[in-house]
Amino acid sequence: MINPNYRFQLKPYSTGSKISCPKCERKYCFTPYIDILNEVIFPDVVGRCDHESSCGYHYKPSQFFNDNPDFKSKIKHAGKGFQSAGLNGKSLAFPLPGPSYIDEMYLRRSLKNYDKNPLFTWLVRWIGENSTRYLFNLYQVGTAILWGGSTVFWQIDFQNKIRSGKIMAYDPNTGHRIKDDNCRVTWVHSYLKLRPFYLRQCFFGEHLLSRFPDKTIAVVESEKSAMIATHFMPELLWLATGGSNGCFNEEAIKSLQNRSVLLVPDLGMTDKWRQKLELLKPICTSVSITDRLEKLATLEQVERGLDIADFLEKFSKSDENSSKNLDNSQRNIGESEVKSPKKSFEITPEILKNLSEKHYSEWSDEEILANMMMENPFIKTMVEELEMEIVPTNKSQLAGS
């Protein structure tokens, strides 16, 4: 209910009024602040999380104005002063400030004590210590002392600036996140009590874009999945959005300009990610997305939100070949044993000729894919089993951007 005595107050509840919390990232638990005069529009970080004990995030308008004195000076009295401020009755929308950055010292201090890192422990048992250390070094993944030992996924942008680090608790026996009422997810800047701090997320792994300028980029949701996929399919550069409401926005995707991008959404997120194609097409050389996992998965698997890493784990731990493994393990109960033939990508003599005669910068989308398949046969299996499709882009538009 609106209280007329207070200009800035929490938005009254209605369907769709609650959004994801910027701290704990749980969905539909964050109530933003509004201006009852509809003259001020706050960024989505100004509000309160419902989980007061486990999360406790509450960023009030007064704190926002104190942290942003330039904005505060434009507001003189409730309902007054906007004409003199040159607003002429228009809404004053506050863009999200920042980004803020973390001192590299904190990252360096975290790159040790891996014997206390539960994700490191689990991966060592699966893929071995050398491979695990390579992945942790490549992605600059650290260790925190929280909850007896946890994993820090640092977000380092393409300029090698550290946006922050996401601290997460994992079960060392299963490799799964620990999800309980204690909300074992936080950010380095929150743990260090850095204020004011404006988190503007970037892709996990974004710092690798300049290191691998020619690789096709594969985008997943989970940081852990990006690391695991890198181990099995290193021909691709795997990045993570850091959650369904992470950095997949118009500003963050600018780092993907002029790159070939493959979207690999979690189960249940394909339709939402398909909408992102329109954001990517104008800036990427090519964009593709797969929904094959969702078509093959059981209802229980969709509800659990399994991702590519879960299927890679099945592939690697089975003695059978990966093609048969995926086909058999994903059958729904009661589904017919007769499967429709899968699409096959044929590497034609013409494609082979073009690969040898043309510079890689002139390769078509099909030729790029063919080259990846020849370097890693597992790519061919993935493309055919998941029925991935190449989405054409407007290259004339790219040339003019």
Side-chain angles (χ1 to χ4, degrees), residues 33-34 58 79 85 91 132 163 168 173 177 226 259 266 292 297 305 311 314 346 366 378-379 389 399:
Y33 275 97
I34 61 170
H58 190 183
S91 295
T132 301
R163 301 290 183 95
M168 305 177 74
N173 297 312
R177 279 179 51 195
R259 301 293 292 259
D266 290 2
R292 185 59 175 172
F311 295 99
K314 291 178 183 294
E346 183 179 1
E366 290 77 9
F378 191 72
I379 296 289
E389 298 179 359

Side-chain angles (χ1 to χ4, degrees), residues 19-48:
I19 59 178
S20 297
C21 175
K23 179 182 178 182
C24 69
E25 293 192 315
R26 282 184 273 193
K27 299 179 180 179
Y28 316 122
C29 67
F30 185 76
T31 305
Y33 275 97
I34 61 170
D35 174 13
I36 64 173
L37 299 181
N38 294 320
E39 293 174 332
V40 176
I41 303 173
F42 291 105
D44 288 342
V45 295
V46 183
R48 184 181 70 186

Side-chain angles (χ1 to χ4, degrees), residues 108-118 120-121 133 136 141-145 148-151:
R108 296 302 167 201
R109 287 178 178 175
S110 75
L111 302 182
K112 57 184 179 181
N113 297 325
Y114 288 128
D115 59 321
K116 297 179 175 62
N117 191 309
F120 185 91
T121 300
R133 286 193 179 276
F136 270 62
V141 178
T143 303
I145 62 174
S150 47
T151 304

Side-chain angles (χ1 to χ4, degrees), residues 65 68-74:
F65 290 131
N68 299 271
D70 291 340
F71 297 144
K72 184 179 181 180
S73 66
K74 295 180 180 180

Side-chain angles (χ1 to χ4, degrees), residues 233-246:
M233 292 178 283
E235 289 76 13
L236 298 172
L237 174 54
W238 292 86
L239 308 182
T241 62
S244 59
N245 295 290

Side-chain angles (χ1 to χ4, degrees), residues 279-297:
L279 288 176
L280 293 167
K281 284 180 181 180
I283 65 171
C284 298
T285 56
S286 66
V287 187
S288 57
I289 188 171
T290 176
D291 63 356
R292 185 59 175 172
L293 290 179
E294 202 156 287
K295 290 180 178 178
L296 293 173

